[in-house]
Amino acid sequence: MGGDYAPKANVLGAIAAHKSLNAGEHIVLIGDTGQIKPLLLEEGFNPDHFEYYHTEEVIGMAEHPTKAIIQKPNSSIGLGFQLLKEGKIDSFASAGNSGAMLVGAVFSVKTIPGIIRPCLSTIVPKLKGGIGLMLDVGANADCKPDTLLQFGVLGSLYAENVMNIPRPKVALMNIGEEDEKGNMLALATFPLMKETELFNFVGNIEGRDLFNDKADVIVCDGFTGNVMLKLAESFYMLTIRKGFKDEFFDRFNYENYGGSPVLGVNAPVLIGHGISSPEAIKNMLFQSRDMINSQLVHKIQAAFH
């Protein structure tokens, strides 16, 4: 029931995803079945293809995340996390209140032991083809050096296991390439990353390197990452408004990538854009499947054991 176009966009996205599922894979819809089932019938889709957990309670996009999770345990988000915690679903994705999704993930399946703070990541299109990963993009506005070091580990594991990039190049976002550049956080983080054997560190990069091949994984605090993410999203909207058609800028369309994985919790959790279309929902479900099939969470748990 989450997102600006819920439940219709979510239902249509689930129908589209269902067509490409493998044997033994199925989708669970959590929400008001009184609204969901008529939408399925409108599309000529057999409702028996999905499982359902009925609830009419919804966390609004503007509600306070922590209060909402505590006060609305029967909301579609609250119920989703309960099912995830109980192992009744293998991953949980929603285009609803992103704060509630973050809080719900930490409250229910909890942070992996050894991880200081879970983070949000996003896919970055590369000019010469292929994709990279940037993290954090909004979960942690303020970070400490050891937290950024861990983001490097999380990003490297995601890039290797889900994006199939061998020995991913991990870089620190900074205002210059030189070792001694940056604010206090960057200056303190750089030597930690340079000395680590946990990932393949390639040094500092600048904002202009975001879309080139210098790095596969770009690490930054959530404040910087969120500003860069919103700026990148605006490129795509600007090209549309200017009537400018370009294959590279088309790849900035968030719909292509689905959602932002919450990395560092004990189960696959994905947060979709509030304005998620059916195409975005479909791709978020495929992303969920990739996280399950690659056993990413087990690999992160082993790395921090």
Side-chain angles (χ1 to χ4, degrees):
M1 305 304 291
D4 295 353
Y5 307 118
K8 189 165 187 178
N10 299 338
V11 171
L12 294 179
I15 291 171
H18 174 79
K19 291 169 185 168
S20 300
L21 292 184
N22 300 318
E25 297 173 344
H26 57 273
I27 294 168
V28 180
L29 299 183
I30 303 156
D32 185 352
T33 50
Q35 291 185 58
I36 295 166
K37 290 191 176 174
L39 289 168
L40 295 172
L41 296 171
E42 251 176 55
E43 296 297 314
F45 186 84
N46 182 354
D48 295 342
H49 288 318
F50 295 144
E51 277 185 49
Y52 306 89
Y53 284 89
H54 175 73
T55 179
E56 292 168 26
E57 197 167 34
V58 178
I59 292 175
M61 297 300 262
E63 288 191 59
H64 187 280
T66 310
K67 284 182 187 170
I69 281 288
I70 293 167
Q71 292 167 3
K72 292 185 171 180
N74 294 318
S75 62
S76 50
I77 287 178
L79 200 52
F81 279 119
Q82 187 61 33
L83 296 169
L84 189 65
K85 182 182 175 184
E86 292 170 0
K88 290 177 180 171
I89 54 177
D90 295 305
S91 85
F92 181 45
S94 171
N97 185 311
S98 53
M101 284 294 289
L102 269 170
V103 170
V106 172
F107 274 21
S108 62
V109 292
K110 304 206 170 358
T111 304
I112 290 169
I115 287 180
I116 304 161
R117 299 293 296 271
C119 67
L120 282 174
S121 59
T122 194
I123 299 292
V124 178
K126 295 294 186 177
L127 190 56
K128 291 183 180 175
I131 50 175
L133 188 76
M134 179 167 64
L135 68 172
D136 180 27
V137 293
N140 307 281
D142 294 298
C143 293
K144 291 183 177 174
D146 50 355
T147 314
L148 291 188
L149 180 72
Q150 290 194 349
F151 292 170
V153 178
L154 292 170
S156 184
L157 287 167
Y158 188 91
E160 193 173 344
N161 293 289
V162 180
M163 297 161 68
N164 299 312
I165 301 172
R167 198 164 152 71
K169 295 176 287 189
V170 180
L172 179 65
M173 181 53 70
N174 208 328
I175 57 169
E177 291 182 359
E178 299 84 359
D179 297 11
E180 65 281 355
K181 277 286 178 79
N183 58 10
M184 289 176 73
L185 176 62
L187 288 167
T189 304
F190 186 90
L192 294 180
M193 289 189 164
K194 193 174 181 180
E195 289 160 21
T196 192
E197 293 181 6
L198 297 169
F199 50 79
N200 174 23
F201 183 56
V202 294
N204 289 325
I205 60 165
E206 300 176 70
R208 62 185 171 197
D209 299 315
L210 188 59
F211 308 113
N212 65 28
D213 291 329
K214 285 193 178 175
D216 301 305
V217 177
I218 297 115
V219 175
C220 53
D221 61 80
F223 185 93
T224 305
N226 193 270
V227 170
M228 295 184 78
L229 171 63
K230 300 283 171 60
L231 181 63
E233 285 178 351
S234 75
F235 291 162
Y236 174 66
M237 297 311 298
L238 288 169
T239 60
I240 291 173
R241 284 179 189 153
K242 290 284 187 183
F244 174 58
K245 190 74 180 159
D246 180 87
E247 182 275 332
F248 175 63
F249 285 110
D250 285 347
R251 292 171 58 217
F252 279 67
N253 184 352
Y254 74 93
E255 292 182 347
N256 297 328
Y257 308 112
S260 295
V262 180
L263 299 179
V265 292
N266 284 298
V269 175
L270 283 125
I271 301 177
H273 215 299
I275 55 169
S276 285
S277 63
E279 180 73 8
I281 297 294
K282 177 190 81 173
N283 286 325
M284 185 159 63
L285 288 167
F286 291 156
Q287 213 179 347
S288 299
R289 176 173 68 183
D290 290 344
M291 287 179 73
I292 296 165
N293 290 342
S294 66
Q295 296 195 303
L296 177 70
V297 169
H298 295 301
K299 286 167 182 171
I300 293 172
Q301 288 166 336
F304 284 88
H305 184 61

